[in-house]
Amino acid sequence: MKLSTEHIDSDSGHSPSDDEKRIAVGQGEFEALGHGEILPDPDAHLSPEERAAIDRKLLWKLDLRLIPWLCLLYLISFLDRTNIGNAKLDGLEKSLHITGGQYNACLSIFFVSYALFEPLTNVLLKRLRPSVFIPIIMTLWGITMVTMGLTHNFSGMMAARWFLGTAEAGLFPGINFYLSCWYKRDELGIRAAIFFSAAAVSGSFGGLLAAAIGNMAGIGGKEGWAWIFILEGLATVCIGLASFYMVYDFPDEATFLSSVDRQRVLRRLKADKQSSAEHESFKMAYFWASIKDLKTWVFAATYMGCDVPLYAFSLFLPSIIASLGYKSTTAQLLSVPPYAAAAILTITVGYIADRTHQRALCNICTSFLGMAGFAMLVAGTSPGVRYAGTFLGALGIYPCVANTIVWTSNNTEGVYKRGITMGFVIGWGNLNGVVSSNIYQATDAPLYRRGHGIVLAYLTVFLLGGSLLQYWSLRRENAKRRAGGRDHWADGKTEEEVQARGDMRPDFFYTL
């Protein structure tokens, strides 16, 4: 089998330049689009410099059309799932006559439905098209948010949180999968980081918004916590309806691109050894390939190591800050700076990981910040030390979430296998949000040392340990493939059959 220009591998001796890869494309190295079809090269007559200029303009066009709106969608999504923490400070428990345990149950039920439906959503996204699927689920969870502001008891809030998790399940894995169908592997990290930084921004924005909306208490006979849900739910519905016009389909059908630009997008993905933008019929074989792949479960464990701390932090940060002795409005406002710092570092790490191709090392180094932060929260007694710990905690959690998802995407090839794998990894991480919802008990206030200790354990064992294990196993596999130890996988197979193996091809090298 003829091996094409190799994807940049952090463990290799030589990485081809962008111009070298473009020249290879121009020479027809990656002409086959699958199923025997030939994709013409519209820029074959141009020089490498001219091709590079066109490529930069194309990327800029994609970024402007895709990234800002997707960031807005995730900002709204994360705001809607975590604003119950802000509502708690404004009297939700007292108004609904629920105990601390029942409040934690309301948090937990969201993650159960969220995790159950996540593995299925990427298949639905592919079949229904992003321009239909994403607006529908957004509108549905916006309506659910409004009903949360109209509830009067524990059972009503439990039901609303269940349906909120069901509707939101498709957005995060769906958009990460969607972005992987547009960008090359070494371009995805910074864009996924910008996208996920919306979660940190939503934490900052959510605290400011909750402080303002809380002043509406008494209007229409509703308390401040109810208006938080109602107004933010109505905003979600409006944005969901607008998304029917603002969300685009996959590259081969995107209406904002000319036919020539669509060819360029597909060719550059093919040059990166990706098939995610191609048409592919669903087969159960892709499901079983994901399930049987050991790296799926190592990525799931690693993602669990940052997801449990993520939700523990975002759901309880207002309460943690309030435990330092600050009143409701002040606690809401003091929750803003840690999120802002986390957003900046998330984008920075995404940029560094794209340039260095060392996603494991980015996870490992960043995890030490989170471990230090929660160690300060466990051992600290003064408000200053503990507030500083929340900063380091945020810095150690948020960058690893985006980086781990991109790392998973980089190393899983085939449109349905990638979608299913990302659904499982993200779903398993979010199922562990049930743990996050129950580790901060009212009886542990004001220091919450048990909760902080559990988060510290997850960061150490799963995030740090999982990243180290995955790095070692992928590095070892790359060495085998480079030495020709996997070449027999291609024996007796056609080029199309070899391509269908996805990341189990002998010429596919994993991103470390």
Side-chain angles (χ1 to χ4, degrees):
M1 183 188 71
K2 180 181 180 181
L3 299 185
S4 51
T5 303
E6 185 177 288
H7 170 69
I8 293 176
D9 174 33
S10 57
D11 197 32
S12 63
H14 169 68
S15 298
S17 68
D18 289 341
D19 285 345
E20 287 173 331
K21 286 194 278 187
R22 289 187 187 96
I23 292 171
V25 174
Q27 293 172 340
E29 190 92 27
F30 299 102
E31 288 295 315
L33 180 61
H35 309 293
E37 299 177 31
I38 300 298
L39 188 66
D41 181 5
D43 305 316
H45 61 289
L46 300 179
S47 68
E49 293 76 16
E50 291 171 321
R51 296 168 71 91
I54 289 174
D55 204 47
R56 286 193 297 270
K57 290 180 181 178
L58 178 61
L59 268 179
W60 183 240
K61 181 186 293 186
L62 298 182
D63 290 341
L64 288 179
R65 288 282 188 158
L66 301 177
I67 303 301
W69 192 259
L70 296 180
C71 285
L72 175 63
L73 300 191
Y74 193 58
L75 186 152
I76 295 296
S77 167
F78 210 82
L79 181 66
D80 288 349
R81 79 182 62 169
T82 59
N83 59 9
I84 190 170
N86 301 109
K88 178 186 177 184
L89 287 186
D90 273 321
L92 178 144
E93 288 178 304
K94 182 178 179 181
S95 180
L96 297 185
H97 307 291
I98 61 177
T99 65
Q102 288 175 322
Y103 171 77
N104 288 344
C106 290
L107 301 183
S108 300
I109 196 68
F110 169 90
F111 295 105
V112 175
S113 59
Y114 192 87
L116 285 176
F117 288 98
E118 270 186 319
L120 306 174
T121 54
N122 281 346
V123 175
L124 292 175
L125 177 72
K126 181 68 177 174
R127 290 197 168 188
L128 295 180
R129 307 198 326 268
S131 62
V132 174
F133 179 73
I134 291 175
I136 286 176
I137 63 172
M138 280 205 71
T139 304
L140 290 176
W141 94 58
I143 294 171
T144 304
M145 277 293 303
V146 173
T147 65
M148 286 175 61
L150 303 177
T151 56
H152 299 285
N153 52 42
F154 168 65
S155 59
M157 184 60 69
M158 283 286 284
R161 291 284 293 179
W162 167 270
F163 287 110
L164 182 66
T166 302
E168 280 203 37
L171 189 77
F172 185 62
I175 290 183
N176 277 284
F177 168 60
Y178 174 72
L179 287 175
S180 73
C181 296
W182 284 92
Y183 295 100
K184 296 193 297 184
R185 290 191 285 177
D186 59 355
E187 298 167 346
L188 184 58
I190 182 63
R191 288 157 181 90
I194 292 171
F195 165 66
F196 184 72
S197 67
V201 172
S202 78
S204 300
F205 180 67
L208 295 171
L209 190 60
I213 296 177
N215 295 324
M216 294 181 62
I219 296 178
K222 295 290 181 183
E223 297 187 45
W225 66 264
W227 280 114
I228 291 175
F229 294 139
I230 293 171
L231 292 183
E232 293 178 7
L234 290 173
T236 301
V237 171
C238 293
I239 293 172
L241 294 175
S243 294
F244 280 104
Y245 304 95
M246 298 299 295
V247 175
Y248 301 96
D249 291 322
F250 293 106
D252 57 341
E253 297 177 341
T255 56
F256 74 92
L257 292 176
S258 66
S259 60
V260 172
D261 278 345
R262 286 198 289 270
Q263 290 177 6
R264 288 172 176 144
V265 172
L266 293 173
R267 285 181 61 83
R268 66 198 311 276
L269 290 175
K270 199 67 182 179
D272 195 43
K273 299 185 181 178
Q274 293 191 56
S275 59
S276 295
E278 299 175 17
H279 288 292
E280 183 177 87
S281 300
F282 176 75
K283 300 175 184 176
M284 281 302 295
Y286 301 128
F287 173 84
W288 293 116
S290 176
I291 292 295
K292 294 176 182 178
D293 194 337
L294 179 61
K295 67 178 183 291
T296 297
W297 303 109
V298 179
F299 277 129
T302 305
Y303 188 67
M304 176 176 68
C306 45
D307 228 24
V308 168
L310 169 71
Y311 287 117
F313 187 87
S314 57
L315 290 169
F316 290 97
L317 181 61
S319 296
I320 292 169
I321 294 177
S323 73
L324 303 181
Y326 299 103
K327 300 298 182 182
S328 172
T329 301
T330 304
Q332 305 276 28
L333 296 176
L334 284 175
S335 68
V336 173
Y339 285 120
I344 294 171
L345 187 62
T346 297
I347 296 172
T348 303
V349 169
Y351 177 84
I352 293 172
D354 275 355
R355 294 299 178 272
T356 64
H357 309 287
Q358 295 287 345
R359 301 202 183 279
L361 295 183
C362 286
N363 257 15
I364 291 165
C365 294
T366 307
S367 68
F368 282 109
L369 293 175
M371 291 160 59
F374 278 91
M376 292 168 66
L377 286 167
V378 169
T381 54
S382 71
V385 170
R386 293 167 62 206
Y387 186 59
T390 66
F391 270 88
L392 289 178
L395 293 174
I397 295 169
Y398 279 83
C400 292
V401 175
N403 189 56
T404 301
I405 292 302
V406 174
W407 194 18
T408 303
S409 175
N410 284 172
N411 292 315
T412 312
E413 186 48 50
V415 58
Y416 279 112
K417 183 185 177 184
R418 178 181 296 178
I420 292 167
T421 297
M422 292 177 69
F424 273 117
V425 169
I426 297 171
W428 175 249
N430 284 312
L431 181 60
N432 280 268
V434 174
V435 177
S436 308
S437 304
N438 290 280
I439 59 178
Y440 287 98
Q441 299 288 335
T443 54
D444 296 330
L447 296 179
Y448 295 110
R449 282 185 171 138
R450 178 169 57 178
H452 298 324
I454 293 173
V455 170
L456 179 59
Y458 269 85
L459 288 169
T460 305
V461 175
F462 295 108
L463 177 55
L464 177 59
S467 297
L468 288 169
L469 175 61
Q470 193 74 292
Y471 176 81
W472 174 81
S473 62
L474 295 181
R475 184 184 179 93
R476 184 168 175 264
E477 179 61 27
N478 277 353
K480 289 183 178 180
R481 295 185 183 190
R482 192 170 298 107
R486 304 302 191 195
D487 286 354
H488 64 277
W489 287 348
D491 292 345
K493 294 182 173 62
T494 65
E495 180 69 21
E496 184 178 341
E497 289 172 334
V498 174
Q499 294 294 319
R501 290 181 62 89
D503 54 87
M504 299 303 290
R505 304 194 313 263
D507 64 332
F508 185 97
F509 291 91
Y510 292 116
T511 299
L512 302 183

